[in-house]
Amino acid sequence: MTEFSESSGASANVFRPYAEPVGRNSGALADLNPLDGLRRLNTSDVESLRVPVSLDMRSLADIELSMDELDTTQAALELAKFAGFRFLTTLVANPFNVAQTLLQVQHLPLAVREERTPASDGTPDPDDPAYYEYLRARHTGRTTRVVRATTDHSGYVDGRPGYELGALDSGKLSVVRKLIGHPTEGALSVFKGAFTQWTYDMLHLLLQPTLEGALNEALGVYDGSGDAVTGALTLVASVLAVGWALSPLELVRTRLVVQAASPIHRKYRGVIHTLRTVAREEGGLRSLYFSPFHLIPTLVKHTLDAVFRGLGANAINVITNVDAYEHPNMFACCELLWRTLSAVVMLPIDTVRTRLQAQPRYTQKEVEFRTCVPLARPYTGMANCLWRVVAEEGRGVKQMREKASNVGHYGLRGLYPGLSVQVMANFLVFGLGFIGADDDSAF
Protein backbone atom coordinates (compact mmCIF):
# COMPACT_ATOMS: atom_id res chain seq x y z
CA MET A 1 0.00 0.00 0.00
CA THR A 2 1.30 3.43 -0.81
CA GLU A 3 1.72 5.81 2.07
CA PHE A 4 1.14 9.57 1.75
CA SER A 5 2.64 12.39 3.64
CA GLU A 6 0.52 14.59 5.87
CA SER A 7 0.89 17.55 3.65
CA SER A 8 -0.03 15.60 0.60
CA GLY A 9 -2.79 13.74 2.40
CA ALA A 10 -4.23 16.90 3.84
CA SER A 11 -4.36 18.62 0.54
CA ALA A 12 -5.14 15.63 -1.62
CA ASN A 13 -8.61 14.58 -2.64
CA VAL A 14 -9.61 11.26 -1.09
CA PHE A 15 -11.19 10.21 -4.36
CA ARG A 16 -8.17 11.35 -6.41
CA PRO A 17 -5.14 10.50 -4.28
CA TYR A 18 -2.61 11.06 -7.08
CA ALA A 19 -3.91 14.50 -8.12
CA GLU A 20 -1.58 17.42 -7.57
CA PRO A 21 -2.77 20.49 -5.71
CA VAL A 22 -4.09 23.37 -7.75
CA GLY A 23 -1.20 25.63 -6.99
CA ARG A 24 1.43 23.12 -8.14
CA ASN A 25 2.48 23.17 -11.83
CA SER A 26 -0.57 25.28 -12.69
CA GLY A 27 1.21 26.83 -15.68
CA ALA A 28 1.94 23.46 -17.22
CA LEU A 29 -1.63 22.27 -16.62
CA ALA A 30 -2.91 25.46 -18.17
CA ASP A 31 -0.80 24.78 -21.20
CA LEU A 32 -2.28 21.32 -21.42
CA ASN A 33 -5.85 22.54 -20.96
CA PRO A 34 -6.69 25.59 -23.12
CA LEU A 35 -9.99 26.11 -21.31
CA ASP A 36 -8.10 27.23 -18.22
CA GLY A 37 -6.57 30.01 -20.30
CA LEU A 38 -9.97 31.12 -21.48
CA ARG A 39 -11.23 31.20 -17.91
CA ARG A 40 -8.46 33.57 -16.94
CA LEU A 41 -9.21 36.02 -19.77
CA ASN A 42 -10.50 39.37 -18.61
CA THR A 43 -13.34 41.35 -20.14
CA SER A 44 -11.10 43.31 -22.52
CA ASP A 45 -9.70 40.11 -23.95
CA VAL A 46 -13.22 38.81 -24.56
CA GLU A 47 -14.16 42.07 -26.29
CA SER A 48 -11.06 41.78 -28.45
CA LEU A 49 -12.21 38.35 -29.53
CA ARG A 50 -15.52 39.82 -30.81
CA VAL A 51 -13.84 41.95 -33.44
CA PRO A 52 -13.29 39.19 -35.99
CA VAL A 53 -16.89 38.09 -35.45
CA SER A 54 -18.18 41.55 -36.38
CA LEU A 55 -15.88 41.53 -39.39
CA ASP A 56 -17.37 38.24 -40.45
CA MET A 57 -20.90 39.64 -40.10
CA ARG A 58 -19.99 42.64 -42.27
CA SER A 59 -18.52 40.36 -44.88
CA LEU A 60 -21.69 38.27 -44.79
CA ALA A 61 -23.75 41.43 -45.27
CA ASP A 62 -21.56 42.37 -48.22
CA ILE A 63 -22.11 38.92 -49.69
CA GLU A 64 -25.87 39.22 -49.26
CA LEU A 65 -25.82 42.69 -50.86
CA SER A 66 -23.85 41.40 -53.83
CA MET A 67 -26.29 38.50 -54.15
CA ASP A 68 -29.22 40.95 -54.16
CA GLU A 69 -27.50 43.03 -56.84
CA LEU A 70 -26.89 39.85 -58.82
CA ASP A 71 -30.56 38.88 -58.50
CA THR A 72 -31.66 42.37 -59.61
CA THR A 73 -29.32 42.28 -62.59
CA GLN A 74 -30.51 38.81 -63.54
CA ALA A 75 -34.14 39.87 -63.25
CA ALA A 76 -33.47 42.92 -65.43
CA LEU A 77 -31.79 40.73 -68.05
CA GLU A 78 -34.69 38.29 -68.04
CA LEU A 79 -37.17 41.17 -68.38
CA ALA A 80 -35.18 42.60 -71.30
CA LYS A 81 -35.12 39.20 -73.01
CA PHE A 82 -38.85 38.79 -72.54
CA ALA A 83 -39.53 42.31 -73.83
CA GLY A 84 -37.40 41.65 -76.91
CA PHE A 85 -39.14 38.35 -77.60
CA ARG A 86 -42.51 40.01 -77.13
CA PHE A 87 -41.58 42.75 -79.58
CA LEU A 88 -40.57 40.18 -82.22
CA THR A 89 -43.84 38.29 -81.83
CA THR A 90 -45.73 41.59 -82.09
CA LEU A 91 -43.95 42.38 -85.35
CA VAL A 92 -44.80 38.94 -86.74
CA ALA A 93 -48.49 39.20 -85.85
CA ASN A 94 -48.89 42.90 -86.67
CA PRO A 95 -49.68 42.55 -90.42
CA PHE A 96 -52.71 40.40 -89.61
CA ASN A 97 -53.76 42.77 -86.80
CA VAL A 98 -53.56 45.71 -89.21
CA ALA A 99 -55.68 43.82 -91.73
CA GLN A 100 -58.25 43.00 -89.04
CA THR A 101 -58.46 46.64 -87.95
CA LEU A 102 -58.95 47.89 -91.53
CA LEU A 103 -61.66 45.30 -92.14
CA GLN A 104 -63.43 46.44 -88.98
CA VAL A 105 -63.41 50.17 -89.68
CA GLN A 106 -64.05 50.25 -93.45
CA HIS A 107 -67.52 51.48 -94.42
CA LEU A 108 -68.75 49.40 -97.32
CA PRO A 109 -72.54 49.54 -97.63
CA LEU A 110 -74.25 46.60 -99.24
CA ALA A 111 -75.68 48.87 -101.96
CA VAL A 112 -72.15 49.77 -103.02
CA ARG A 113 -70.99 46.18 -102.74
CA GLU A 114 -73.81 44.44 -104.64
CA GLU A 115 -75.84 47.02 -106.58
CA ARG A 116 -73.27 49.24 -108.26
CA THR A 117 -73.51 49.37 -112.06
CA PRO A 118 -70.64 49.41 -114.58
CA ALA A 119 -69.74 52.72 -116.15
CA SER A 120 -70.86 52.92 -119.75
CA ASP A 121 -69.01 54.51 -122.65
CA GLY A 122 -72.06 56.52 -123.80
CA THR A 123 -74.58 58.42 -121.76
CA PRO A 124 -73.34 59.61 -118.34
CA ASP A 125 -75.14 58.62 -115.21
CA PRO A 126 -77.97 61.04 -114.25
CA ASP A 127 -76.35 61.55 -110.86
CA ASP A 128 -73.12 62.64 -112.56
CA PRO A 129 -72.79 66.45 -112.95
CA ALA A 130 -71.49 65.81 -116.49
CA TYR A 131 -74.94 64.48 -117.41
CA TYR A 132 -76.34 68.02 -117.74
CA GLU A 133 -73.49 69.03 -120.02
CA TYR A 134 -74.35 65.99 -122.12
CA LEU A 135 -78.05 67.02 -122.36
CA ARG A 136 -77.15 70.60 -123.29
CA ALA A 137 -74.83 69.34 -126.03
CA ARG A 138 -77.55 67.13 -127.48
CA HIS A 139 -80.08 69.95 -127.42
CA THR A 140 -77.85 72.43 -129.23
CA GLY A 141 -76.48 69.83 -131.62
CA ARG A 142 -72.89 70.48 -130.61
CA THR A 143 -70.46 67.77 -129.63
CA THR A 144 -68.97 68.31 -126.25
CA ARG A 145 -66.18 66.33 -124.68
CA VAL A 146 -67.61 64.88 -121.50
CA VAL A 147 -65.12 64.39 -118.67
CA ARG A 148 -65.70 60.92 -117.29
CA ALA A 149 -64.78 59.62 -113.91
CA THR A 150 -61.97 57.12 -113.72
CA THR A 151 -62.87 53.45 -113.48
CA ASP A 152 -61.21 50.55 -111.74
CA HIS A 153 -60.14 47.24 -113.29
CA SER A 154 -63.74 45.94 -113.10
CA GLY A 155 -65.16 48.88 -115.01
CA TYR A 156 -66.84 50.50 -112.00
CA VAL A 157 -66.63 54.19 -111.27
CA ASP A 158 -63.69 54.84 -108.99
CA GLY A 159 -63.94 58.22 -107.33
CA ARG A 160 -61.80 57.49 -104.30
CA PRO A 161 -58.66 59.53 -103.47
CA GLY A 162 -55.28 58.22 -104.49
CA TYR A 163 -54.17 57.52 -100.93
CA GLU A 164 -57.23 55.36 -100.21
CA LEU A 165 -57.45 51.62 -100.72
CA GLY A 166 -60.28 50.08 -102.68
CA ALA A 167 -62.96 47.85 -101.23
CA LEU A 168 -61.23 45.28 -99.05
CA ASP A 169 -62.08 41.62 -99.27
CA SER A 170 -62.81 39.58 -96.17
CA GLY A 171 -59.48 37.73 -96.32
CA LYS A 172 -56.63 39.13 -94.26
CA LEU A 173 -53.95 37.94 -96.67
CA SER A 174 -55.59 39.83 -99.53
CA VAL A 175 -55.67 42.97 -97.38
CA VAL A 176 -51.96 42.59 -96.58
CA ARG A 177 -51.12 42.12 -100.27
CA LYS A 178 -53.19 45.19 -101.20
CA LEU A 179 -51.41 47.26 -98.56
CA ILE A 180 -47.97 46.20 -99.76
CA GLY A 181 -48.84 46.82 -103.41
CA HIS A 182 -50.44 50.24 -102.88
CA PRO A 183 -48.21 53.11 -104.12
CA THR A 184 -48.65 55.30 -101.01
CA GLU A 185 -48.70 52.53 -98.40
CA GLY A 186 -46.01 49.95 -99.12
CA ALA A 187 -44.46 47.17 -97.08
CA LEU A 188 -43.87 49.28 -93.98
CA SER A 189 -47.60 49.93 -93.66
CA VAL A 190 -48.18 46.42 -92.36
CA PHE A 191 -46.18 47.41 -89.25
CA LYS A 192 -48.21 50.51 -88.39
CA GLY A 193 -49.02 50.65 -84.69
CA ALA A 194 -46.64 47.80 -83.77
CA PHE A 195 -44.70 49.81 -81.16
CA THR A 196 -47.93 51.10 -79.62
CA GLN A 197 -49.34 47.58 -79.41
CA TRP A 198 -46.10 46.30 -77.83
CA THR A 199 -46.12 49.14 -75.27
CA TYR A 200 -49.73 48.38 -74.37
CA ASP A 201 -49.04 44.65 -73.99
CA MET A 202 -45.97 45.16 -71.78
CA LEU A 203 -47.69 47.65 -69.50
CA HIS A 204 -50.74 45.41 -69.22
CA LEU A 205 -48.58 42.39 -68.35
CA LEU A 206 -46.80 44.36 -65.62
CA LEU A 207 -49.73 46.25 -64.11
CA GLN A 208 -52.63 43.79 -64.19
CA PRO A 209 -51.04 40.94 -62.14
CA THR A 210 -49.64 43.50 -59.68
CA LEU A 211 -53.03 45.08 -59.10
CA GLU A 212 -54.75 41.70 -58.89
CA GLY A 213 -52.22 40.50 -56.29
CA ALA A 214 -52.69 43.64 -54.23
CA LEU A 215 -56.47 43.21 -54.27
CA ASN A 216 -56.20 39.54 -53.34
CA GLU A 217 -53.85 40.41 -50.48
CA ALA A 218 -56.16 43.13 -49.20
CA LEU A 219 -59.27 40.93 -49.38
CA GLY A 220 -57.62 37.87 -47.87
CA VAL A 221 -57.80 35.59 -50.88
CA TYR A 222 -54.27 34.26 -50.33
CA ASP A 223 -54.68 33.37 -46.64
CA GLY A 224 -57.91 31.43 -47.22
CA SER A 225 -60.37 33.94 -45.75
CA GLY A 226 -61.68 34.87 -49.25
CA ASP A 227 -63.70 32.60 -51.52
CA ALA A 228 -63.55 31.80 -55.25
CA VAL A 229 -66.08 34.51 -56.07
CA THR A 230 -63.84 37.13 -54.48
CA GLY A 231 -60.90 35.92 -56.55
CA ALA A 232 -62.95 36.11 -59.74
CA LEU A 233 -64.10 39.64 -58.87
CA THR A 234 -60.52 40.80 -58.23
CA LEU A 235 -59.50 39.38 -61.62
CA VAL A 236 -62.28 41.21 -63.44
CA ALA A 237 -61.67 44.42 -61.48
CA SER A 238 -57.92 44.42 -62.20
CA VAL A 239 -58.39 43.75 -65.93
CA LEU A 240 -61.07 46.44 -66.14
CA ALA A 241 -59.03 49.06 -64.24
CA VAL A 242 -55.82 48.48 -66.21
CA GLY A 243 -57.69 48.32 -69.53
CA TRP A 244 -59.43 51.61 -68.77
CA ALA A 245 -56.14 53.25 -67.72
CA LEU A 246 -54.40 52.14 -70.93
CA SER A 247 -57.35 52.81 -73.27
CA PRO A 248 -55.76 55.95 -74.81
CA LEU A 249 -52.99 53.71 -76.17
CA GLU A 250 -55.61 51.58 -77.90
CA LEU A 251 -57.09 54.67 -79.51
CA VAL A 252 -53.61 55.81 -80.60
CA ARG A 253 -52.91 52.44 -82.17
CA THR A 254 -56.22 52.51 -84.09
CA ARG A 255 -55.58 56.03 -85.42
CA LEU A 256 -52.04 55.15 -86.53
CA VAL A 257 -53.25 52.03 -88.37
CA VAL A 258 -56.21 53.71 -90.10
CA GLN A 259 -54.50 56.92 -91.22
CA ALA A 260 -52.99 57.24 -94.70
CA ALA A 261 -49.28 56.47 -94.76
CA SER A 262 -48.45 59.12 -97.36
CA PRO A 263 -46.28 61.87 -95.81
CA ILE A 264 -48.46 64.47 -97.54
CA HIS A 265 -51.71 63.23 -95.98
CA ARG A 266 -50.42 61.77 -92.72
CA LYS A 267 -51.79 63.51 -89.62
CA TYR A 268 -50.13 61.65 -86.71
CA ARG A 269 -46.39 61.00 -86.42
CA GLY A 270 -46.06 58.71 -83.42
CA VAL A 271 -47.43 57.76 -80.02
CA ILE A 272 -46.60 60.96 -78.15
CA HIS A 273 -47.59 63.21 -81.06
CA THR A 274 -50.91 61.36 -81.44
CA LEU A 275 -51.71 61.71 -77.73
CA ARG A 276 -50.90 65.41 -77.78
CA THR A 277 -52.89 66.04 -80.95
CA VAL A 278 -55.93 64.11 -79.75
CA ALA A 279 -55.84 65.83 -76.36
CA ARG A 280 -55.57 69.25 -78.03
CA GLU A 281 -58.27 68.74 -80.66
CA GLU A 282 -60.77 66.49 -78.87
CA GLY A 283 -61.17 67.87 -75.38
CA GLY A 284 -58.11 66.52 -73.57
CA LEU A 285 -57.50 63.23 -71.78
CA ARG A 286 -60.59 63.82 -69.68
CA SER A 287 -62.71 63.31 -72.79
CA LEU A 288 -60.85 60.09 -73.61
CA TYR A 289 -61.32 58.69 -70.12
CA PHE A 290 -64.73 59.94 -69.01
CA SER A 291 -66.71 60.71 -72.16
CA PRO A 292 -69.51 58.14 -72.61
CA PHE A 293 -68.53 57.96 -76.28
CA HIS A 294 -65.32 56.13 -75.27
CA LEU A 295 -66.00 55.08 -71.66
CA ILE A 296 -68.98 52.77 -72.24
CA PRO A 297 -67.37 50.67 -75.02
CA THR A 298 -64.15 50.42 -72.97
CA LEU A 299 -65.94 49.15 -69.86
CA VAL A 300 -68.06 46.67 -71.81
CA LYS A 301 -65.13 45.35 -73.84
CA HIS A 302 -62.67 44.85 -70.98
CA THR A 303 -65.26 43.39 -68.60
CA LEU A 304 -66.34 40.72 -71.09
CA ASP A 305 -62.72 40.16 -72.10
CA ALA A 306 -61.80 39.39 -68.48
CA VAL A 307 -64.73 36.98 -68.19
CA PHE A 308 -64.00 35.07 -71.39
CA ARG A 309 -60.20 35.01 -71.07
CA GLY A 310 -59.68 34.62 -67.35
CA LEU A 311 -62.69 32.72 -66.07
CA GLY A 312 -63.13 30.13 -68.80
CA ALA A 313 -61.97 27.12 -66.77
CA ASN A 314 -64.10 28.09 -63.77
CA ALA A 315 -67.16 28.71 -65.93
CA ILE A 316 -66.79 25.33 -67.65
CA ASN A 317 -66.42 23.59 -64.30
CA VAL A 318 -69.49 25.33 -62.85
CA ILE A 319 -71.75 25.04 -65.91
CA THR A 320 -70.88 21.55 -67.15
CA ASN A 321 -69.32 20.06 -64.00
CA VAL A 322 -66.49 18.66 -66.15
CA ASP A 323 -63.11 18.35 -64.44
CA ALA A 324 -59.99 18.96 -66.51
CA TYR A 325 -58.04 16.12 -64.85
CA GLU A 326 -60.73 13.46 -64.82
CA HIS A 327 -62.13 14.15 -68.33
CA PRO A 328 -59.47 16.04 -70.33
CA ASN A 329 -61.00 15.34 -73.76
CA MET A 330 -64.44 16.54 -72.75
CA PHE A 331 -62.89 19.59 -71.10
CA ALA A 332 -60.99 20.39 -74.33
CA CYS A 333 -64.27 20.24 -76.30
CA CYS A 334 -65.86 22.59 -73.78
CA GLU A 335 -62.91 24.97 -74.15
CA LEU A 336 -63.41 24.97 -77.94
CA LEU A 337 -67.07 25.91 -77.51
CA TRP A 338 -66.14 28.58 -74.97
CA ARG A 339 -63.57 30.17 -77.34
CA THR A 340 -66.08 30.11 -80.19
CA LEU A 341 -68.70 31.77 -77.98
CA SER A 342 -66.10 34.36 -77.00
CA ALA A 343 -65.44 35.19 -80.67
CA VAL A 344 -69.17 35.47 -81.43
CA VAL A 345 -69.80 37.81 -78.49
CA MET A 346 -66.61 39.87 -78.49
CA LEU A 347 -66.09 40.53 -82.20
CA PRO A 348 -69.13 42.84 -82.69
CA ILE A 349 -68.23 44.77 -79.53
CA ASP A 350 -64.62 45.15 -80.63
CA THR A 351 -65.73 46.19 -84.13
CA VAL A 352 -68.03 48.90 -82.79
CA ARG A 353 -65.38 50.15 -80.36
CA THR A 354 -62.70 50.26 -83.08
CA ARG A 355 -65.01 52.29 -85.35
CA LEU A 356 -65.66 54.77 -82.56
CA GLN A 357 -61.93 55.09 -81.87
CA ALA A 358 -61.19 55.74 -85.54
CA GLN A 359 -63.67 58.63 -85.58
CA PRO A 360 -62.28 61.98 -84.35
CA ARG A 361 -64.61 64.08 -82.18
CA TYR A 362 -63.21 67.53 -82.80
CA THR A 363 -63.64 70.51 -80.56
CA GLN A 364 -61.10 72.28 -82.77
CA LYS A 365 -59.69 70.80 -85.97
CA GLU A 366 -56.19 71.65 -87.15
CA VAL A 367 -55.42 69.07 -89.86
CA GLU A 368 -57.86 66.81 -91.69
CA PHE A 369 -57.70 63.13 -90.72
CA ARG A 370 -57.29 61.20 -93.97
CA THR A 371 -57.66 57.44 -93.82
CA CYS A 372 -56.55 54.62 -96.09
CA VAL A 373 -60.05 53.08 -96.04
CA PRO A 374 -63.42 54.85 -96.29
CA LEU A 375 -65.08 55.60 -92.96
CA ALA A 376 -68.76 56.04 -92.25
CA ARG A 377 -70.43 59.29 -91.31
CA PRO A 378 -69.82 60.21 -87.65
CA TYR A 379 -71.53 57.98 -85.13
CA THR A 380 -73.19 59.35 -82.01
CA GLY A 381 -72.44 56.42 -79.74
CA MET A 382 -72.18 52.68 -79.34
CA ALA A 383 -75.84 51.90 -79.97
CA ASN A 384 -76.00 54.19 -83.00
CA CYS A 385 -72.89 52.55 -84.48
CA LEU A 386 -74.27 49.07 -83.92
CA TRP A 387 -77.62 49.92 -85.54
CA ARG A 388 -76.10 51.67 -88.53
CA VAL A 389 -73.71 48.83 -89.27
CA VAL A 390 -76.69 46.48 -89.29
CA ALA A 391 -78.88 48.84 -91.37
CA GLU A 392 -76.30 50.15 -93.84
CA GLU A 393 -73.99 47.20 -94.38
CA GLY A 394 -76.44 44.32 -94.19
CA ARG A 395 -79.25 43.09 -96.39
CA GLY A 396 -82.53 44.95 -96.44
CA VAL A 397 -85.89 43.21 -96.10
CA LYS A 398 -86.55 43.42 -99.85
CA GLN A 399 -83.15 41.98 -100.68
CA MET A 400 -83.61 39.15 -98.22
CA ARG A 401 -86.90 38.24 -99.87
CA GLU A 402 -85.38 38.34 -103.36
CA LYS A 403 -82.40 36.24 -102.35
CA ALA A 404 -84.42 33.93 -100.06
CA SER A 405 -82.07 34.65 -97.16
CA ASN A 406 -83.10 34.52 -93.55
CA VAL A 407 -82.89 37.25 -90.95
CA GLY A 408 -79.59 35.86 -89.68
CA HIS A 409 -77.79 37.44 -92.64
CA TYR A 410 -79.12 40.89 -91.76
CA GLY A 411 -76.05 43.02 -91.02
CA LEU A 412 -73.79 40.22 -89.80
CA ARG A 413 -71.24 40.84 -92.53
CA GLY A 414 -70.31 44.21 -91.09
CA LEU A 415 -70.28 43.05 -87.48
CA TYR A 416 -68.14 39.93 -87.93
CA PRO A 417 -65.10 40.71 -90.10
CA GLY A 418 -62.52 37.96 -89.71
CA LEU A 419 -64.79 35.60 -87.76
CA SER A 420 -63.94 32.58 -89.93
CA VAL A 421 -60.23 33.06 -89.28
CA GLN A 422 -60.75 33.12 -85.51
CA VAL A 423 -62.92 29.99 -85.61
CA MET A 424 -60.30 28.19 -87.71
CA ALA A 425 -57.62 29.24 -85.24
CA ASN A 426 -59.69 27.83 -82.37
CA PHE A 427 -60.02 24.48 -84.14
CA LEU A 428 -56.28 24.50 -84.85
CA VAL A 429 -55.48 25.01 -81.17
CA PHE A 430 -57.99 22.28 -80.33
CA GLY A 431 -56.29 19.83 -82.71
CA LEU A 432 -52.79 20.68 -81.48
CA GLY A 433 -53.96 20.05 -77.92
CA PHE A 434 -55.11 16.56 -78.85
CA ILE A 435 -51.78 15.85 -80.61
CA GLY A 436 -49.87 16.97 -77.53
CA ALA A 437 -52.05 14.77 -75.29
CA ASP A 438 -51.39 11.75 -77.50
CA ASP A 439 -47.63 12.38 -77.39
CA ASP A 440 -47.69 12.58 -73.59
CA SER A 441 -49.67 9.35 -73.29
CA ALA A 442 -47.16 7.56 -75.54
CA PHE A 443 -44.45 8.02 -72.92
Side-chain angles (χ1 to χ4, degrees), residues 122-124 128-135 137 143-149:
T123 306
D128 194 340
Y131 179 73
Y132 300 99
E133 296 292 335
Y134 170 78
L135 292 179
T143 58
T144 304
R145 181 178 178 270
V146 180
V147 179
R148 300 291 297 161

Side-chain angles (χ1 to χ4, degrees), residues 92-170:
V92 172
N94 200 73
F96 301 98
N97 294 333
V98 169
Q100 176 68 20
T101 301
L102 295 181
L103 289 173
Q104 287 179 314
V105 301
Q106 75 163 343
H107 179 65
L108 194 62
L110 191 68
V112 175
R113 184 163 46 227
E114 295 185 352
E115 296 180 358
R116 55 185 182 175
T117 58
S120 62
D121 296 331
T123 306
D125 189 89
D127 294 332
D128 194 340
Y131 179 73
Y132 300 99
E133 296 292 335
Y134 170 78
L135 292 179
R136 187 179 298 110
R138 286 189 59 183
H139 180 72
T140 58
R142 292 183 290 104
T143 58
T144 304
R145 181 178 178 270
V146 180
V147 179
R148 300 291 297 161
T150 59
T151 58
D152 59 11
H153 65 281
S154 302
Y156 294 101
V157 176
D158 188 10
R160 58 186 172 86
Y163 55 82
E164 192 175 283
L165 299 172
L168 301 179
D169 299 328
S170 58

Side-chain angles (χ1 to χ4, degrees), residues 100-378:
Q100 176 68 20
T101 301
L102 295 181
L103 289 173
Q104 287 179 314
V105 301
Q106 75 163 343
H107 179 65
L108 194 62
L110 191 68
V112 175
R113 184 163 46 227
E114 295 185 352
E115 296 180 358
R116 55 185 182 175
T117 58
S120 62
D121 296 331
T123 306
D125 189 89
D127 294 332
D128 194 340
Y131 179 73
Y132 300 99
E133 296 292 335
Y134 170 78
L135 292 179
R136 187 179 298 110
R138 286 189 59 183
H139 180 72
T140 58
R142 292 183 290 104
T143 58
T144 304
R145 181 178 178 270
V146 180
V147 179
R148 300 291 297 161
T150 59
T151 58
D152 59 11
H153 65 281
S154 302
Y156 294 101
V157 176
D158 188 10
R160 58 186 172 86
Y163 55 82
E164 192 175 283
L165 299 172
L168 301 179
D169 299 328
S170 58
K172 294 184 180 181
L173 287 177
S174 64
V175 176
V176 172
R177 286 195 296 266
K178 186 171 288 189
L179 270 174
I180 295 175
H182 196 270
T184 63
E185 293 292 330
L188 293 180
S189 295
V190 299
F191 299 107
K192 292 191 294 186
F195 179 76
T196 309
Q197 183 65 46
W198 173 78
T199 304
Y200 175 86
D201 292 339
M202 291 300 299
L203 291 176
H204 197 280
L205 287 173
L206 292 175
L207 296 178
Q208 188 273 324
T210 304
L211 180 59
E212 182 184 1
L215 293 176
N216 288 334
E217 185 71 24
L219 297 177
V221 175
Y222 290 149
D223 57 11
S225 59
D227 54 1
V229 177
T230 305
L233 291 177
T234 57
L235 172 64
V236 174
S238 61
V239 173
L240 180 60
V242 174
W244 171 77
L246 300 179
S247 59
L249 288 178
E250 295 179 289
L251 183 141
V252 168
R253 186 253 172 197
T254 301
R255 297 281 179 91
L256 292 176
V257 169
V258 174
Q259 75 168 348
S262 172
I264 301 175
H265 305 101
R266 186 169 55 202
K267 180 181 178 69
Y268 306 113
R269 299 192 300 269
V271 181
I272 303 299
H273 181 262
T274 306
L275 283 174
R276 289 178 177 177
T277 305
V278 171
R280 185 172 58 252
E281 294 182 347
E282 303 179 28
L285 293 179
R286 179 180 179 181
S287 175
L288 297 181
Y289 278 119
F290 300 103
S291 172
F293 188 82
H294 295 294
L295 178 62
I296 295 176
T298 298
L299 297 180
V300 173
K301 192 259 183 183
H302 287 290
T303 301
L304 293 179
D305 189 65
V307 172
F308 281 109
R309 291 180 181 270
L311 303 179
N314 295 332
I316 292 173
N317 193 11
V318 171
I319 297 173
T320 64
N321 199 21
V322 175
D323 188 80
Y325 297 99
E326 296 180 358
H327 307 284
N329 295 334
M330 182 62 67
F331 190 83
C333 294
C334 294
E335 280 188 329
L336 175 62
L337 294 177
W338 182 262
R339 292 194 187 99
T340 305
L341 177 63
S342 172
V344 171
V345 174
M346 292 299 300
L347 190 54
I349 296 174
D350 189 62
T351 299
V352 170
R353 182 170 182 254
T354 305
R355 291 199 176 201
L356 296 179
Q357 288 177 342
Q359 174 186 309
R361 304 183 73 238
Y362 295 117
T363 57
Q364 57 176 3
K365 182 171 65 174
E366 299 176 358
V367 181
E368 185 69 27
F369 180 50
R370 304 185 185 276
T371 59
C372 60
V373 292
L375 301 183
R377 293 180 292 106

Side-chain angles (χ1 to χ4, degrees), residues 29-50:
L29 292 175
D31 294 336
L32 294 176
N33 188 1
L35 296 179
D36 290 339
L38 290 176
R39 283 196 298 267
R40 290 195 301 272
L41 291 174
N42 55 20
T43 306
S44 61
D45 294 333
V46 174
E47 294 295 333
S48 64
L49 289 175
R50 294 178 182 173

